[in-house]
Amino acid sequence: MDFVTVLGFAAALLTTFSFLPQMIKTWQSKSAKDVSFIMLIFFNTGIFLWLIYGIILQQLPVIFANATTLVFNMIILWLKIKYK
Amino acid sequence: MDFVTVLGFAAALLTTFSFLPQMIKTWQSKSAKDVSFIMLIFFNTGIFLWLIYGIILQQLPVIFANATTLVFNMIILWLKIKYK
């Protein structure tokens, strides 16, 4: 694996797992009233487009980061709708 | 500009501006106690690595998205330290 791919995976791990605390907090508190619905829709749409971008350019770190972040943020969106 | 670059810029706009409401909210409330300090450090470090990744691969959407997101989140981090 070349240097830039290792760098990409390090970046992916750091940014992806930054979303874990928010997901766990929302899960435990059963509340996401402080998290903007519009922001979540924008963010999930953007992450989905980044995923397509990564797939077209065949960049594994971009695919890995955005697939994982999309799952986390879809769960946060689902919890927000469920507990509204 | 080719299709994948346009796609990347659309993704960049959506994910970058998702952070604006958080920054404005923190600015106005003068409080970021619900935002994890560790999460901010991890996230800013990750975004910085994505910026280097984008610069090495010369991908304009990746550079634009991460430079802007880094500025927004450094401001959030600065506000958190300032108002703690």
Coordinates of all heavy atoms in Angstrom, one line a residue, chain A residues 12-26 39-40 43 47 65-66 68-73 76, chain B residues 15 18-19 39-40 42-43 47 50 69 73:
Chain A
A12 N -9.3 8.8 7.2 CA -10.6 8.1 7.2 C -10.9 7.6 8.6 O -12.1 7.9 9.1 CB -10.6 7.0 6.3
L13 N -10.0 7.0 9.3 CA -10.2 6.5 10.7 C -10.6 7.6 11.6 O -11.5 7.5 12.4 CB -9.0 5.7 11.2 CG -8.9 4.3 10.6 CD1 -7.6 3.6 11.1 CD2 -10.1 3.4 11.1
L14 N -9.8 8.7 11.5 CA -10.0 9.8 12.4 C -11.3 10.5 12.2 O -12.0 10.8 13.2 CB -8.8 10.8 12.3 CG -7.5 10.4 12.9 CD1 -6.3 11.3 12.4 CD2 -7.6 10.6 14.4
T15 N -11.7 10.8 11.0 CA -12.9 11.6 10.7 C -14.1 10.7 10.9 O -15.1 11.1 11.5 CB -12.9 12.2 9.3 OG1 -12.7 11.3 8.3 CG2 -11.9 13.3 9.2
T16 N -14.0 9.4 10.5 CA -15.2 8.5 10.6 C -15.5 8.3 12.1 O -16.7 8.4 12.5 CB -14.8 7.1 10.0 OG1 -14.5 7.4 8.6 CG2 -16.0 6.2 10.1
F17 N -14.5 7.9 12.9 CA -14.8 7.6 14.3 C -15.1 8.8 15.2 O -15.6 8.6 16.3 CB -13.8 6.6 14.9 CG -13.9 5.3 14.3 CD1 -13.1 4.9 13.2 CD2 -14.9 4.4 14.7 CE1 -13.2 3.6 12.6 CE2 -15.0 3.2 14.2 CZ -14.2 2.8 13.1
S18 N -14.9 10.0 14.7 CA -15.4 11.2 15.3 C -16.9 11.2 15.5 O -17.5 11.9 16.4 CB -15.0 12.4 14.6 OG -13.6 12.5 14.5
F19 N -17.6 10.5 14.6 CA -19.1 10.5 14.6 C -19.7 9.5 15.6 O -20.8 9.5 15.9 CB -19.6 10.3 13.2 CG -19.4 11.4 12.3 CD1 -18.4 11.4 11.4 CD2 -20.2 12.6 12.4 CE1 -18.2 12.5 10.6 CE2 -20.0 13.7 11.6 CZ -19.0 13.7 10.7
L20 N -18.8 8.5 16.0 CA -19.3 7.5 17.0 C -19.9 8.1 18.2 O -21.0 7.7 18.6 CB -18.2 6.5 17.3 CG -18.2 5.1 16.6 CD1 -17.1 4.2 17.2 CD2 -19.6 4.5 16.8
P21 N -19.2 9.0 18.9 CA -19.7 9.6 20.2 C -21.1 10.2 20.0 O -22.0 10.0 20.8 CB -18.7 10.7 20.6 CG -17.4 10.3 19.9 CD -17.8 9.6 18.6
Q22 N -21.3 10.9 18.8 CA -22.6 11.5 18.6 C -23.7 10.4 18.4 O -24.8 10.6 19.0 CB -22.6 12.4 17.3 CG -23.9 13.0 16.9 CD -24.3 14.1 18.0 OE1 -23.6 15.0 18.3 NE2 -25.5 13.9 18.6
M23 N -23.3 9.4 17.7 CA -24.3 8.3 17.5 C -24.7 7.6 18.8 O -25.8 7.4 19.1 CB -23.8 7.3 16.5 CG -24.8 6.3 16.0 SD -24.2 5.1 14.9 CE -23.3 4.0 16.1
I24 N -23.6 7.3 19.6 CA -23.9 6.7 20.9 C -24.7 7.6 21.9 O -25.6 7.1 22.5 CB -22.5 6.3 21.6 CG1 -21.9 5.2 20.8 CG2 -22.7 5.8 23.0 CD1 -20.4 4.9 21.1
K25 N -24.4 8.9 21.8 CA -25.1 9.9 22.7 C -26.6 9.9 22.3 O -27.4 9.9 23.2 CB -24.4 11.2 22.5 CG -24.9 12.3 23.5 CD -24.2 13.6 23.3 CE -24.9 14.6 24.3 NZ -24.4 16.0 24.0
T26 N -26.8 10.0 21.0 CA -28.2 10.0 20.5 C -29.0 8.7 20.9 O -30.1 8.8 21.3 CB -28.2 10.2 19.0 OG1 -27.4 11.4 18.7 CG2 -29.6 10.5 18.5
M39 N -29.6 19.9 8.5 CA -28.2 19.6 8.4 C -27.9 18.1 8.1 O -27.0 17.8 7.3 CB -27.5 20.0 9.7 CG -26.0 20.1 9.7 SD -25.2 19.8 11.3 CE -25.2 18.0 11.3
L40 N -28.7 17.2 8.8 CA -28.5 15.8 8.6 C -28.8 15.4 7.2 O -28.1 14.5 6.6 CB -29.4 15.0 9.6 CG -28.9 14.8 11.0 CD1 -29.9 14.1 11.8 CD2 -27.6 14.0 11.0
F43 N -26.0 16.7 5.0 CA -24.8 15.9 5.3 C -24.8 14.5 4.7 O -23.9 14.1 4.0 CB -24.5 15.9 6.8 CG -23.1 15.4 7.1 CD1 -22.0 16.3 6.9 CD2 -22.9 14.2 7.6 CE1 -20.7 15.9 7.1 CE2 -21.6 13.8 7.9 CZ -20.5 14.6 7.7
I47 N -22.4 13.1 1.8 CA -21.6 11.9 2.1 C -21.8 10.8 1.0 O -20.9 10.2 0.5 CB -21.8 11.3 3.5 CG1 -21.3 12.3 4.6 CG2 -21.2 9.9 3.6 CD1 -19.8 12.4 4.6
A65 N -14.2 5.6 4.1 CA -14.6 6.7 5.0 C -16.0 7.1 4.9 O -16.8 7.2 5.8 CB -13.7 7.9 4.8
N66 N -16.5 7.2 3.6 CA -17.8 7.7 3.4 C -18.9 6.7 3.5 O -20.0 7.0 4.0 CB -17.9 8.4 2.0 CG -17.1 9.7 2.0 OD1 -17.5 10.7 2.7 ND2 -15.9 9.8 1.4
T68 N -18.7 4.2 5.8 CA -18.9 4.1 7.2 C -19.6 5.3 7.8 O -20.6 5.2 8.6 CB -17.5 3.9 7.9 OG1 -16.7 3.1 7.1 CG2 -17.7 3.4 9.3
T69 N -19.2 6.5 7.4 CA -19.8 7.7 7.9 C -21.3 7.8 7.5 O -22.1 8.2 8.3 CB -19.1 9.0 7.4 OG1 -17.7 8.9 7.7 CG2 -19.6 10.3 8.0
L70 N -21.6 7.3 6.3 CA -23.0 7.3 5.8 C -23.9 6.4 6.7 O -25.0 6.8 7.1 CB -23.1 6.8 4.4 CG -24.5 6.9 3.7 CD1 -24.9 8.4 3.7 CD2 -24.4 6.4 2.3
V71 N -23.3 5.2 7.1 CA -24.1 4.3 8.0 C -24.3 5.0 9.3 O -25.5 5.0 9.8 CB -23.3 3.0 8.2 CG1 -23.9 2.1 9.3 CG2 -23.3 2.2 6.8
F72 N -23.3 5.5 9.9 CA -23.4 6.2 11.2 C -24.5 7.3 11.2 O -25.3 7.4 12.0 CB -22.1 6.8 11.7 CG -21.0 5.9 12.1 CD1 -19.8 6.3 12.4 CD2 -21.4 4.5 12.3 CE1 -18.8 5.4 12.9 CE2 -20.4 3.6 12.7 CZ -19.1 4.0 13.0
N73 N -24.4 8.1 10.1 CA -25.3 9.3 10.1 C -26.7 8.9 9.6 O -27.7 9.7 10.0 CB -24.7 10.4 9.2 CG -23.7 11.2 10.0 OD1 -24.0 12.1 10.7 ND2 -22.4 10.8 9.9
I76 N -28.2 8.0 12.9 CA -28.5 9.3 13.7 C -29.8 9.9 13.1 O -30.7 10.2 13.9 CB -27.4 10.3 13.6 CG1 -26.1 9.8 14.4 CG2 -27.8 11.6 14.2 CD1 -24.9 10.6 14.2
Chain B
T15 N -21.4 18.8 2.3 CA -20.8 18.3 3.6 C -20.2 19.5 4.3 O -20.3 19.6 5.6 CB -19.8 17.2 3.5 OG1 -18.8 17.6 2.5 CG2 -20.5 15.9 3.0
S18 N -22.8 21.9 6.0 CA -23.5 21.2 7.1 C -22.9 21.7 8.4 O -23.5 21.6 9.5 CB -23.3 19.7 7.0 OG -23.9 19.3 5.8
F19 N -21.6 22.1 8.4 CA -20.9 22.5 9.7 C -21.2 23.9 10.1 O -21.0 24.3 11.2 CB -19.4 22.3 9.6 CG -19.1 20.8 9.6 CD1 -18.8 20.1 8.4 CD2 -19.1 20.1 10.8 CE1 -18.5 18.8 8.4 CE2 -18.8 18.7 10.8 CZ -18.5 18.1 9.6
M39 N -13.4 14.6 20.4 CA -13.9 14.4 19.1 C -13.4 15.5 18.2 O -13.0 15.2 17.0 CB -15.4 14.5 19.2 CG -16.1 14.0 17.9 SD -17.8 14.7 17.7 CE -17.3 16.3 16.9
L40 N -13.4 16.8 18.7 CA -12.9 17.9 17.9 C -11.4 17.7 17.5 O -11.1 18.0 16.4 CB -13.1 19.2 18.6 CG -14.5 19.8 18.6 CD1 -14.6 21.1 19.4 CD2 -14.9 20.2 17.1
F42 N -9.7 14.8 17.3 CA -9.6 13.8 16.3 C -10.1 14.3 14.9 O -9.5 14.0 13.9 CB -10.6 12.6 16.7 CG -9.9 11.6 17.6 CD1 -9.1 12.0 18.6 CD2 -10.2 10.3 17.5 CE1 -8.5 11.1 19.5 CE2 -9.6 9.3 18.4 CZ -8.7 9.8 19.3
F43 N -11.2 15.0 14.9 CA -11.8 15.4 13.7 C -10.9 16.4 12.9 O -10.7 16.3 11.7 CB -13.2 16.0 13.9 CG -14.0 16.2 12.7 CD1 -14.5 15.1 12.0 CD2 -14.3 17.4 12.1 CE1 -15.3 15.2 10.9 CE2 -15.0 17.6 11.0 CZ -15.5 16.5 10.3
I47 N -9.3 15.8 9.3 CA -9.5 16.8 8.2 C -8.2 17.3 7.6 O -8.0 17.4 6.4 CB -10.4 17.9 8.7 CG1 -11.9 17.4 8.9 CG2 -10.5 19.0 7.6 CD1 -12.6 16.9 7.8
W50 N -6.8 14.6 5.5 CA -7.5 14.6 4.2 C -7.1 15.7 3.3 O -7.0 15.6 2.0 CB -9.1 14.8 4.4 CG -9.8 13.5 4.7 CD1 -10.6 13.3 5.8 CD2 -9.9 12.3 4.0 NE1 -11.2 12.1 5.8 CE2 -10.7 11.4 4.7 CE3 -9.3 11.9 2.8 CZ2 -11.0 10.1 4.2 CZ3 -9.6 10.6 2.3 CH2 -10.4 9.7 3.1
T69 N -13.7 23.0 5.8 CA -14.2 22.3 7.0 C -13.2 22.5 8.1 O -13.6 22.6 9.3 CB -14.4 20.8 6.7 OG1 -15.3 20.7 5.6 CG2 -15.0 20.1 7.8
N73 N -14.1 24.1 11.8 CA -13.9 23.3 13.0 C -12.8 23.8 13.9 O -12.8 23.6 15.1 CB -13.7 21.8 12.6 CG -15.1 21.2 12.4 OD1 -15.8 20.7 13.3 ND2 -15.5 21.1 11.1

